[in-house]
Amino acid sequence: MYTKGRHNHMLSSYAKEQELEKKRKILQKNIPAVEAYANGTTGYMVKAGANAGKVLKHIKVEPSNS
């Protein structure tokens, strides 16, 4: 049996996967964080565009003792 090519393929595919994962992590770190809780609200306020000034995804917690 000839297994040298199989091992070479396994190692090279693993190296490619690791390289892609490293690049993905670098790109993920470069995404700017969203400003939540900035204006005293628990959502994100749109700053530009047609919906400027609106709060998106407002979080409302219902009290458990009602």
Side-chain angles (χ1 to χ4, degrees):
M1 281 183 133
Y2 186 71
T3 60
K4 184 178 180 183
R6 179 178 66 136
H7 292 296
N8 188 19
H9 171 71
M10 289 171 50
L11 291 172
S12 64
S13 65
Y14 178 76
K16 285 180 185 178
E17 286 178 18
Q18 292 300 311
E19 185 178 344
L20 288 174
E21 183 67 20
K22 184 177 178 182
K23 287 179 182 179
R24 187 192 65 78
K25 285 181 180 180
I26 290 171
L27 289 174
Q28 188 69 26
K29 286 182 181 180
N30 290 335
I31 296 174
V34 177
E35 253 188 76
Y37 304 107
N39 298 316
T41 179
T42 56
Y44 174 73
M45 183 174 288
V46 180
K47 294 182 179 69
N51 293 324
K54 290 186 180 178
V55 176
L56 303 177
K57 296 286 184 180
H58 186 77
I59 301 168
K60 182 178 179 183
V61 178
E62 294 292 330
S64 61
N65 60 354
S66 61

